[in-house]
Amino acid sequence: MAGTEFDLEGFLPYLLNQAAETTGREFAAAYRGRYAMTRTQWRVMAHLGRFGAMTAAEICRRAMEEKTGVSRSVQALEDRGWLIRGAVAEDRRAEALSLTPSGREVYDALAAEAIRFDALLRARLGEARAAGLAEALTALVSAARD
Amino acid sequence: MAGTEFDLEGFLPYLLNQAAETTGREFAAAYRGRYAMTRTQWRVMAHLGRFGAMTAAEICRRAMEEKTGVSRSVQALEDRGWLIRGAVAEDRRAEALSLTPSGREVYDALAAEAIRFDALLRARLGEARAAGLAEALTALVSAARD
DNA sequence: GCTTGATTGTTGCCAATGCAACCGTTACAA
DNA sequence: TTGTAACGGTTGCATTGGCAACAATCAAGC
């Protein structure tokens, strides 16, 4: 056996997964139950609602999603009338995606839900620890982007 | 619009998912590539390797996995000769799962890999921030268990 | 202009996941 | 003892997700 024993409970990827899954599941009840929406669909809506019109490739880069999932989510959201595709002047391959008015209503409701849930999580941790957590997570993500 | 605008980039579940997915993917290369193993299979092995013989239900509780996934992982690991099922004296429904010698070899290799990867992540963050992160994640998980 | 390589988005296919229903066993209470 | 609920584990089925291959478009060099 090597010098150090493996400590599963302190293994960062394991802890990250556990935390992401528990909080994710808890929040998913908000959109799965009410709107029967996929995690990827919610992410697409969140990006469009938060940052305005954007192409699918741009969502992929920002949200770190597979283009397959984004493509299918866009299709589904369009079928529901929550999203429209527009042309991009400079590039005929790309599509400018944006929310319809009813899509925006859904986004607003979910964003309000998200704000509440985030506040709950931060209350559970205490504001100082929550801020440190967010900062460390951001650092992890950007460090891995190399 | 409500008093506060929704801040996607600071939304804890979003950050948690991003961090978990990037680090998870990075580490998954270690077991997917070398041993063609599923995330759930790796978790089952990790628990058995770390904590010794255990029933499937116990793994579910500790790892927060669905019993379906654990059941299929156990089957797959048994087929590969990395795991054996034993009887539990007091309960004829349950099975005591444990690693075979060759299963332990695989576990040892992966655990060493995990130790290296964890050290890399902690180096990226700095030890103080890493410790704070682990502590906050643990708190989040146990708070959600209510 | 033409060719080559990268990029945008879609589709087919297979692996992985989750839910619900199920069987056998156990615990417990009337 | 017998009936009922809970628990451990498996299986079927539908959904989700990712990879690879593809058509269309763009960009850059010759």
Side-chain angles (χ1 to χ4, degrees), chain A residues 2-22:
Chain A
T4 329
E5 177 97 37
F6 174 50
D7 172 27
L8 178 59
E9 325 249 33
F11 185 44
L12 282 178
Y14 179 71
L15 285 172
L16 286 165
N17 260 303
Q18 298 242 40
E21 279 168 22
T22 52

PDB file of all heavy atoms in Angstrom, chain A residues 2-22:
ATOM      1  N   ALA A   2       0.444   2.237  -0.725  1.00  0.00           N
ATOM      2  CA  ALA A   2       1.239   3.457  -0.859  1.00  0.00           C
ATOM      3  C   ALA A   2       1.301   4.206   0.462  1.00  0.00           C
ATOM      4  O   ALA A   2       0.650   3.840   1.431  1.00  0.00           O
ATOM      5  CB  ALA A   2       0.653   4.354  -1.935  1.00  0.00           C
ATOM      6  N   GLY A   3       2.058   5.288   0.494  1.00  0.00           N
ATOM      7  CA  GLY A   3       2.245   6.036   1.725  1.00  0.00           C
ATOM      8  C   GLY A   3       0.939   6.550   2.301  1.00  0.00           C
ATOM      9  O   GLY A   3       0.701   6.439   3.500  1.00  0.00           O
ATOM     10  N   THR A   4       0.085   7.123   1.452  1.00  0.00           N
ATOM     11  CA  THR A   4      -1.155   7.693   1.946  1.00  0.00           C
ATOM     12  C   THR A   4      -2.330   6.805   1.554  1.00  0.00           C
ATOM     13  O   THR A   4      -2.401   6.306   0.448  1.00  0.00           O
ATOM     14  CB  THR A   4      -1.370   9.088   1.334  1.00  0.00           C
ATOM     15  OG1 THR A   4      -0.105   9.686   1.086  1.00  0.00           O
ATOM     16  CG2 THR A   4      -2.189   9.938   2.267  1.00  0.00           C
ATOM     17  N   GLU A   5      -3.224   6.636   2.492  1.00  0.00           N
ATOM     18  CA  GLU A   5      -4.448   5.884   2.207  1.00  0.00           C
ATOM     19  C   GLU A   5      -5.429   6.796   1.489  1.00  0.00           C
ATOM     20  O   GLU A   5      -5.492   7.992   1.753  1.00  0.00           O
ATOM     21  CB  GLU A   5      -5.048   5.389   3.527  1.00  0.00           C
ATOM     22  CG  GLU A   5      -6.362   4.663   3.378  1.00  0.00           C
ATOM     23  CD  GLU A   5      -6.147   3.167   3.358  1.00  0.00           C
ATOM     24  OE1 GLU A   5      -5.258   2.696   4.093  1.00  0.00           O
ATOM     25  OE2 GLU A   5      -6.860   2.483   2.625  1.00  0.00           O
ATOM     26  N   PHE A   6      -6.189   6.236   0.604  1.00  0.00           N
ATOM     27  CA  PHE A   6      -7.169   7.030  -0.140  1.00  0.00           C
ATOM     28  C   PHE A   6      -8.353   7.378   0.765  1.00  0.00           C
ATOM     29  O   PHE A   6      -8.959   6.523   1.382  1.00  0.00           O
ATOM     30  CB  PHE A   6      -7.650   6.238  -1.361  1.00  0.00           C
ATOM     31  CG  PHE A   6      -8.754   6.904  -2.093  1.00  0.00           C
ATOM     32  CD1 PHE A   6      -8.668   8.239  -2.470  1.00  0.00           C
ATOM     33  CD2 PHE A   6      -9.898   6.196  -2.435  1.00  0.00           C
ATOM     34  CE1 PHE A   6      -9.690   8.860  -3.159  1.00  0.00           C
ATOM     35  CE2 PHE A   6     -10.924   6.810  -3.128  1.00  0.00           C
ATOM     36  CZ  PHE A   6     -10.820   8.147  -3.491  1.00  0.00           C
ATOM     37  N   ASP A   7      -8.676   8.659   0.825  1.00  0.00           N
ATOM     38  CA  ASP A   7      -9.772   9.114   1.680  1.00  0.00           C
ATOM     39  C   ASP A   7     -10.965   9.507   0.802  1.00  0.00           C
ATOM     40  O   ASP A   7     -11.075  10.643   0.346  1.00  0.00           O
ATOM     41  CB  ASP A   7      -9.316  10.310   2.512  1.00  0.00           C
ATOM     42  CG  ASP A   7     -10.470  10.932   3.277  1.00  0.00           C
ATOM     43  OD1 ASP A   7     -11.428  10.202   3.581  1.00  0.00           O
ATOM     44  OD2 ASP A   7     -10.411  12.138   3.552  1.00  0.00           O
ATOM     45  N   LEU A   8     -11.855   8.530   0.591  1.00  0.00           N
ATOM     46  CA  LEU A   8     -12.991   8.763  -0.310  1.00  0.00           C
ATOM     47  C   LEU A   8     -13.832   9.952   0.115  1.00  0.00           C
ATOM     48  O   LEU A   8     -14.222  10.788  -0.697  1.00  0.00           O
ATOM     49  CB  LEU A   8     -13.849   7.498  -0.390  1.00  0.00           C
ATOM     50  CG  LEU A   8     -15.097   7.603  -1.264  1.00  0.00           C
ATOM     51  CD1 LEU A   8     -14.732   7.950  -2.702  1.00  0.00           C
ATOM     52  CD2 LEU A   8     -15.892   6.310  -1.216  1.00  0.00           C
ATOM     53  N   GLU A   9     -14.088  10.038   1.412  1.00  0.00           N
ATOM     54  CA  GLU A   9     -14.996  11.085   1.902  1.00  0.00           C
ATOM     55  C   GLU A   9     -14.411  12.483   1.776  1.00  0.00           C
ATOM     56  O   GLU A   9     -15.132  13.462   1.882  1.00  0.00           O
ATOM     57  CB  GLU A   9     -15.363  10.823   3.361  1.00  0.00           C
ATOM     58  CG  GLU A   9     -15.483   9.368   3.694  1.00  0.00           C
ATOM     59  CD  GLU A   9     -16.893   8.945   3.995  1.00  0.00           C
ATOM     60  OE1 GLU A   9     -17.836   9.493   3.401  1.00  0.00           O
ATOM     61  OE2 GLU A   9     -17.049   8.054   4.826  1.00  0.00           O
ATOM     62  N   GLY A  10     -13.112  12.567   1.557  1.00  0.00           N
ATOM     63  CA  GLY A  10     -12.501  13.873   1.395  1.00  0.00           C
ATOM     64  C   GLY A  10     -12.085  14.135  -0.044  1.00  0.00           C
ATOM     65  O   GLY A  10     -11.542  15.193  -0.343  1.00  0.00           O
ATOM     66  N   PHE A  11     -12.359  13.166  -0.914  1.00  0.00           N
ATOM     67  CA  PHE A  11     -11.984  13.263  -2.326  1.00  0.00           C
ATOM     68  C   PHE A  11     -12.830  14.342  -2.995  1.00  0.00           C
ATOM     69  O   PHE A  11     -14.059  14.240  -3.057  1.00  0.00           O
ATOM     70  CB  PHE A  11     -12.202  11.908  -2.980  1.00  0.00           C
ATOM     71  CG  PHE A  11     -11.749  11.793  -4.400  1.00  0.00           C
ATOM     72  CD1 PHE A  11     -10.527  12.314  -4.805  1.00  0.00           C
ATOM     73  CD2 PHE A  11     -12.525  11.134  -5.329  1.00  0.00           C
ATOM     74  CE1 PHE A  11     -10.099  12.178  -6.123  1.00  0.00           C
ATOM     75  CE2 PHE A  11     -12.113  10.997  -6.652  1.00  0.00           C
ATOM     76  CZ  PHE A  11     -10.899  11.521  -7.041  1.00  0.00           C
ATOM     77  N   LEU A  12     -12.194  15.389  -3.483  1.00  0.00           N
ATOM     78  CA  LEU A  12     -12.946  16.543  -3.971  1.00  0.00           C
ATOM     79  C   LEU A  12     -13.959  16.213  -5.070  1.00  0.00           C
ATOM     80  O   LEU A  12     -15.097  16.665  -4.992  1.00  0.00           O
ATOM     81  CB  LEU A  12     -11.986  17.651  -4.429  1.00  0.00           C
ATOM     82  CG  LEU A  12     -11.367  18.462  -3.289  1.00  0.00           C
ATOM     83  CD1 LEU A  12     -10.406  19.501  -3.833  1.00  0.00           C
ATOM     84  CD2 LEU A  12     -12.456  19.153  -2.465  1.00  0.00           C
ATOM     85  N   PRO A  13     -13.594  15.437  -6.090  1.00  0.00           N
ATOM     86  CA  PRO A  13     -14.616  15.136  -7.104  1.00  0.00           C
ATOM     87  C   PRO A  13     -15.830  14.425  -6.523  1.00  0.00           C
ATOM     88  O   PRO A  13     -16.959  14.651  -6.965  1.00  0.00           O
ATOM     89  CB  PRO A  13     -13.863  14.223  -8.086  1.00  0.00           C
ATOM     90  CG  PRO A  13     -12.444  14.622  -7.956  1.00  0.00           C
ATOM     91  CD  PRO A  13     -12.270  14.974  -6.505  1.00  0.00           C
ATOM     92  N   TYR A  14     -15.597  13.589  -5.532  1.00  0.00           N
ATOM     93  CA  TYR A  14     -16.704  12.891  -4.889  1.00  0.00           C
ATOM     94  C   TYR A  14     -17.590  13.873  -4.138  1.00  0.00           C
ATOM     95  O   TYR A  14     -18.815  13.889  -4.291  1.00  0.00           O
ATOM     96  CB  TYR A  14     -16.129  11.834  -3.939  1.00  0.00           C
ATOM     97  CG  TYR A  14     -17.157  11.034  -3.178  1.00  0.00           C
ATOM     98  CD1 TYR A  14     -17.951  10.090  -3.808  1.00  0.00           C
ATOM     99  CD2 TYR A  14     -17.324  11.205  -1.799  1.00  0.00           C
ATOM    100  CE1 TYR A  14     -18.888   9.351  -3.111  1.00  0.00           C
ATOM    101  CE2 TYR A  14     -18.244  10.462  -1.088  1.00  0.00           C
ATOM    102  CZ  TYR A  14     -19.021   9.543  -1.743  1.00  0.00           C
ATOM    103  OH  TYR A  14     -19.947   8.816  -1.036  1.00  0.00           O
ATOM    104  N   LEU A  15     -16.992  14.732  -3.362  1.00  0.00           N
ATOM    105  CA  LEU A  15     -17.763  15.735  -2.627  1.00  0.00           C
ATOM    106  C   LEU A  15     -18.504  16.655  -3.578  1.00  0.00           C
ATOM    107  O   LEU A  15     -19.677  17.003  -3.352  1.00  0.00           O
ATOM    108  CB  LEU A  15     -16.828  16.561  -1.738  1.00  0.00           C
ATOM    109  CG  LEU A  15     -16.329  15.864  -0.486  1.00  0.00           C
ATOM    110  CD1 LEU A  15     -15.262  16.703   0.199  1.00  0.00           C
ATOM    111  CD2 LEU A  15     -17.498  15.625   0.463  1.00  0.00           C
ATOM    112  N   LEU A  16     -17.838  17.053  -4.639  1.00  0.00           N
ATOM    113  CA  LEU A  16     -18.482  17.947  -5.602  1.00  0.00           C
ATOM    114  C   LEU A  16     -19.702  17.279  -6.216  1.00  0.00           C
ATOM    115  O   LEU A  16     -20.766  17.900  -6.351  1.00  0.00           O
ATOM    116  CB  LEU A  16     -17.482  18.328  -6.702  1.00  0.00           C
ATOM    117  CG  LEU A  16     -16.411  19.331  -6.291  1.00  0.00           C
ATOM    118  CD1 LEU A  16     -15.284  19.375  -7.299  1.00  0.00           C
ATOM    119  CD2 LEU A  16     -17.032  20.716  -6.131  1.00  0.00           C
ATOM    120  N   ASN A  17     -19.557  16.011  -6.569  1.00  0.00           N
ATOM    121  CA  ASN A  17     -20.684  15.303  -7.150  1.00  0.00           C
ATOM    122  C   ASN A  17     -21.841  15.189  -6.183  1.00  0.00           C
ATOM    123  O   ASN A  17     -22.996  15.409  -6.542  1.00  0.00           O
ATOM    124  CB  ASN A  17     -20.258  13.908  -7.604  1.00  0.00           C
ATOM    125  CG  ASN A  17     -20.013  13.864  -9.086  1.00  0.00           C
ATOM    126  OD1 ASN A  17     -20.886  14.181  -9.879  1.00  0.00           O
ATOM    127  ND2 ASN A  17     -18.804  13.495  -9.459  1.00  0.00           N
ATOM    128  N   GLN A  18     -21.528  14.836  -4.953  1.00  0.00           N
ATOM    129  CA  GLN A  18     -22.590  14.673  -3.957  1.00  0.00           C
ATOM    130  C   GLN A  18     -23.337  15.985  -3.774  1.00  0.00           C
ATOM    131  O   GLN A  18     -24.574  16.019  -3.773  1.00  0.00           O
ATOM    132  CB  GLN A  18     -21.989  14.248  -2.619  1.00  0.00           C
ATOM    133  CG  GLN A  18     -21.274  12.929  -2.686  1.00  0.00           C
ATOM    134  CD  GLN A  18     -21.916  11.913  -1.773  1.00  0.00           C
ATOM    135  OE1 GLN A  18     -23.125  11.853  -1.680  1.00  0.00           O
ATOM    136  NE2 GLN A  18     -21.121  11.119  -1.107  1.00  0.00           N
ATOM    137  N   ALA A  19     -22.572  17.065  -3.610  1.00  0.00           N
ATOM    138  CA  ALA A  19     -23.215  18.359  -3.377  1.00  0.00           C
ATOM    139  C   ALA A  19     -24.014  18.792  -4.596  1.00  0.00           C
ATOM    140  O   ALA A  19     -25.149  19.276  -4.477  1.00  0.00           O
ATOM    141  CB  ALA A  19     -22.152  19.408  -3.032  1.00  0.00           C
ATOM    142  N   ALA A  20     -23.428  18.607  -5.778  1.00  0.00           N
ATOM    143  CA  ALA A  20     -24.135  19.017  -6.996  1.00  0.00           C
ATOM    144  C   ALA A  20     -25.410  18.206  -7.177  1.00  0.00           C
ATOM    145  O   ALA A  20     -26.457  18.745  -7.545  1.00  0.00           O
ATOM    146  CB  ALA A  20     -23.221  18.857  -8.208  1.00  0.00           C
ATOM    147  N   GLU A  21     -25.337  16.909  -6.891  1.00  0.00           N
ATOM    148  CA  GLU A  21     -26.507  16.069  -7.099  1.00  0.00           C
ATOM    149  C   GLU A  21     -27.617  16.368  -6.103  1.00  0.00           C
ATOM    150  O   GLU A  21     -28.785  16.436  -6.465  1.00  0.00           O
ATOM    151  CB  GLU A  21     -26.124  14.590  -7.043  1.00  0.00           C
ATOM    152  CG  GLU A  21     -25.547  14.108  -8.362  1.00  0.00           C
ATOM    153  CD  GLU A  21     -24.902  12.748  -8.239  1.00  0.00           C
ATOM    154  OE1 GLU A  21     -25.240  12.001  -7.306  1.00  0.00           O
ATOM    155  OE2 GLU A  21     -24.032  12.442  -9.080  1.00  0.00           O
ATOM    156  N   THR A  22     -27.258  16.524  -4.840  1.00  0.00           N
ATOM    157  CA  THR A  22     -28.308  16.788  -3.858  1.00  0.00           C
ATOM    158  C   THR A  22     -28.980  18.133  -4.119  1.00  0.00           C
ATOM    159  O   THR A  22     -30.199  18.211  -4.195  1.00  0.00           O
ATOM    160  CB  THR A  22     -27.766  16.776  -2.417  1.00  0.00           C
ATOM    161  OG1 THR A  22     -26.644  17.645  -2.347  1.00  0.00           O
ATOM    162  CG2 THR A  22     -27.341  15.402  -2.004  1.00  0.00           C
TER     163      THR A  22
END
